[in-house]
Amino acid sequence: MQLGLLGYPIQHSLSPWIHNQFSEQINQLSEYQLFEISQDKFNDNVSELKFKKLDGFNVTVPYKQRIIPYLDELDIYADEIGAVNTVVCKNNKWIGYNTDGLGYVVGLKSAYPHLFSGDKKVLVLGAGGASRGIYYALCKEKFAAVDLANRTVEKAAHLLDLNQLKDAKSEVFSFTEAEKNLANYDLVIQTTSVGMKPNDSEKIIGLDLLSKGTVVSDIVYQPFTTRLLREAKTRGALIHHGHHMLLYQAKLAFELWSGQQVDAEQILPQLTQKIKKE
Ligand code: ATR
């Protein structure tokens, strides 16, 4: 298969390694190229990509929305979220999907299946692009509540539109309120870039009222263990590292391209080592 990644900057991406592992699993020769395109050349370079015989490609920051006008079809899930991270090229058509949120949820289910039974309550921190996909996917699960908190509360309130079918009970809080209510939640998910290298001393909220046994999840995977996760662990929480989302969104993308199932758990230890070394 001819695959690739569109984004900027992407030189340090782990996606080529992940997709090469998946290709080996199904004994298929693949090439996963990096299409590092700067913002001012986006239009011309994406038009050129149409002439390459690609089977599919991933889209990352900052182009997940900007790619949409170039697509022939948009999956309903990607349409609702308003962002595309995976394009399938088939019969000269580009079809856009979003595997970020669902990938996150599949990875979480694999690590902590107990969260998906009984009336569990979830708090999502952040209301940016990553949060949209995660919140949308969580609303489709049977949680007792999927609440949101964000520095700019109005922005979190806008995300409630993604839950139009009222699949989940949702409330919006400020960070101060979230910190006070922390003991109510079984799962707390950090979806912003706060705490990412080189700002690894940052932490999005205080964890004083966190209960033991709560799962704290951070989508940041550089550093491997963020300050938030470190402190959560000290307080007796169970932690879920950011590389799970990276891996599982890739698994779902690869399955869309190849039509075959691949095993993400099998490469998780090696991916962990790679991230820890960087
Ligand atoms: P992405 O697409 O990567 O999610 P984004 O759409 O720019 O990026 O969203 C960034 C998210 O991180 C937002 O929720 C933002 O909060 P605001 O809506 O208040 O801007 C949050 N964020 C970024 N820096 C932050 C910081 N220092 N403290 C708290 N939240 C922060």
Side-chain angles (χ1 to χ4, degrees):
M1 285 189 294
Q2 287 297 321
L3 307 170
L5 172 65
L6 172 64
Y8 190 93
I10 50 174
Q11 282 311 318
H12 297 288
S13 170
L14 288 162
S15 293
W17 182 82
I18 294 172
H19 288 290
N20 285 335
Q21 302 302 307
F22 289 151
S23 295
E24 280 180 22
Q25 281 186 13
I26 63 162
N27 290 320
Q28 184 157 23
L29 266 184
S30 298
E31 188 183 12
Y32 189 95
Q33 300 179 66
L34 295 179
F35 305 117
E36 190 172 64
I37 293 176
S38 60
Q39 304 248 18
D40 53 325
K41 301 206 176 86
F42 185 78
N43 190 18
D44 289 347
N45 290 2
V46 169
S47 303
E48 279 170 27
L49 272 191
K50 290 244 170 190
F51 294 102
K52 288 194 190 276
K53 296 231 170 308
L54 295 173
D55 296 290
F57 59 96
N58 286 126
V59 185
T60 188
V61 178
Y63 300 132
K64 289 184 184 185
Q65 286 160 325
R66 208 165 155 193
I67 192 71
I68 292 176
Y70 298 84
L71 303 172
D72 300 291
E73 287 172 31
L74 194 55
D75 168 66
I76 179 162
Y77 196 91
D79 193 15
E80 297 248 16
I81 296 164
V84 162
N85 80 324
T86 303
V87 175
V88 174
C89 313
K90 219 176 186 173
N91 306 328
N92 273 329
K93 278 189 176 168
W94 279 10
I95 309 158
Y97 295 85
N98 193 313
T99 68
D100 285 332
L102 194 59
Y104 174 80
V105 169
V106 173
L108 183 69
K109 221 179 246 180
S110 170
Y112 292 112
H114 78 276
L115 287 172
F116 292 83
S117 59
D119 292 331
K120 301 291 195 290
K121 289 189 172 172
V122 186
L123 175 65
V124 178
L125 303 171
S131 174
R132 282 182 76 79
I134 291 173
Y135 175 68
Y136 185 78
L138 289 170
C139 285
K140 304 290 175 203
E141 300 290 330
K142 295 194 168 22
F143 290 113
V146 184
D147 293 337
L148 289 161
N150 195 42
R151 180 178 60 182
T152 316
V153 179
E154 306 81 64
K155 226 173 133 186
H158 283 303
L159 252 68
L160 295 178
D161 295 344
L162 288 170
N163 183 28
Q164 266 172 357
L165 299 176
K166 298 277 176 280
D167 293 311
K169 197 171 143 283
S170 273
E171 280 185 81
V172 170
F173 298 109
S174 66
F175 282 156
T176 313
E177 289 166 323
E179 283 170 347
K180 280 193 200 137
N181 300 337
L182 217 48
N184 296 344
Y185 296 99
D186 303 285
L187 167 64
V188 178
I189 308 166
Q190 197 300 109
T191 68
T192 77
S193 55
V194 173
M196 190 189 287
K197 263 184 195 170
N199 303 314
D200 21 0
S201 62
E202 286 182 359
K203 185 184 61 171
I204 193 153
I205 59 165
L207 299 178
D208 289 349
L209 300 181
L210 189 71
S211 304
K212 272 190 184 156
T214 301
V215 175
V216 176
S217 174
D218 198 330
I219 68 162
V220 171
Y221 58 86
Q222 254 335 335
F224 181 70
T225 304
T226 58
R227 181 175 170 199
L228 184 82
L229 292 185
R230 214 169 46 239
E231 292 190 14
K233 198 170 178 184
T234 309
R235 291 178 186 278
L238 303 170
I239 62 173
H240 184 244
H241 291 91
H243 68 319
H244 286 90
M245 180 169 171
L246 170 73
L247 179 59
Y248 278 86
Q249 61 76 28
K251 170 185 157 74
L252 300 187
F254 192 88
E255 290 176 350
L256 283 170
W257 297 325
S258 66
Q260 296 193 55
Q261 295 231 330
V262 287
D263 184 357
E265 289 300 310
Q266 191 185 316
I267 63 173
L268 194 56
Q270 264 175 291
L271 181 64
T272 303
Q273 288 313 315
K274 276 186 153 315
I275 293 173
K276 280 184 172 172
K277 261 194 236 147
E278 284 200 3

